[in-house]
Amino acid sequence: ADDRKCPLLDISCLATATNVYANIQPQAALHDLSFDLSDPTKWQSLFDSTTAVKRQHRAFSYSVQKSRSFPGEVASLQPAKLILAPPSILQTEELQQHLASTIKENVRHWRASAFRRADIYTTFDSDVESKFQLLLAHLEEDSQSDPLATSRLGAGHANLMCRVQIPQKNQPKAIALNFPNIHPKLILDRLKHTNIHSNPRSICRFLVAVYVHALPHHLCSIWVYYGTVRARSYN
C-alpha cells in the first residue's frame, strides 16, 4: 500500500484469519489509508469471534459431526502466499492490435448505419498512430505517479502534445479514455456513446490509437485515443 505506483484504486474490505473488516475511511489514495485494524474509526469488523464460529458451523454442519469442535478462526480460501504471473508484453501487443482493428471496423459500421449514403467515406490516419500511442504511454506513466492525473487531462493536454511533438495546428479533436481489463464490447459501447462517428462530413479522417500497459497476473490498463483529424500529415 505504500507503493505509489500500485494499480489498485481502492480497498473496500480486508479479510484476516479471524475476521473480515470493512473500510470506513473517507476515500483516499492507498498510501494515505490507515491499516490499523484495531482502530474502529478506520475499520469496522463484520464478525466477532463467536459469530464467526457460528457462521462457520452453519456452513459446514452438513458434512461435520456435531460432536466435533470448531476452531476459533475463519477458514481461508486464499493461499498463504500469492504467486502472480509476470506481465506479458506479447499478450498486450496482440490485444493492442486486435482492439485497434476492432474499433476501426465498428466506426465504419456506425457511420454507414447512421448516414446510409453512398458518398460517406471513413478513413483513418494510421501514419500517426505511433505518436499518439506514445502520448497514451505518457498518460499511463503520469497516472501511476499521480492517480488524479487523468482527471486533469484537459489542463495538461497541450503539454502532452508538445511531449510527443505534435504541432498545435495538427492536433485532432479527440479524447483519451482509460479502461481496466474489460470486455471489448464495453469499450466499444463507451466509444459509440461519444457520438464522434456522427461527423456529417462525407469524407472524414479518424484517429484511433490504442495503448495497452501490461500488469502482473494477466491484467492490463487499456488506453484509447479516439477522434477526428484536422490535417493529413504530422511532421
Side-chain angles (χ1 to χ4, degrees), residues 102-116 122 185 187-198 226:
T102 301
I103 292 170
K104 291 177 183 179
E105 180 181 346
N106 277 268
V107 171
R108 291 189 181 99
H109 174 71
W110 298 337
R111 281 176 57 76
S113 299
F115 296 104
R116 299 187 182 278
T122 304
K185 183 182 183 302
I187 297 177
L188 293 172
D189 288 345
R190 177 67 179 87
L191 295 178
K192 186 176 183 180
H193 280 95
T194 64
N195 283 321
I196 292 176
H197 66 277
S198 299
Y226 172 53

Side-chain angles (χ1 to χ4, degrees), residues 26-44:
Q27 186 173 4
L30 289 190
H31 58 268
D32 291 328
L33 290 178
S34 167
F35 288 89
D36 182 6
L37 300 180
S38 64
D39 186 351
T41 65
K42 307 293 185 183
W43 296 91
Q44 177 66 54

Side-chain angles (χ1 to χ4, degrees), residues 15 30 75 86 116-117 121 144 173 181 214:
L30 289 190
R116 299 187 182 278
R117 286 162 40 194
Y121 297 94
Q144 290 185 12
K173 295 180 179 179
N181 191 20

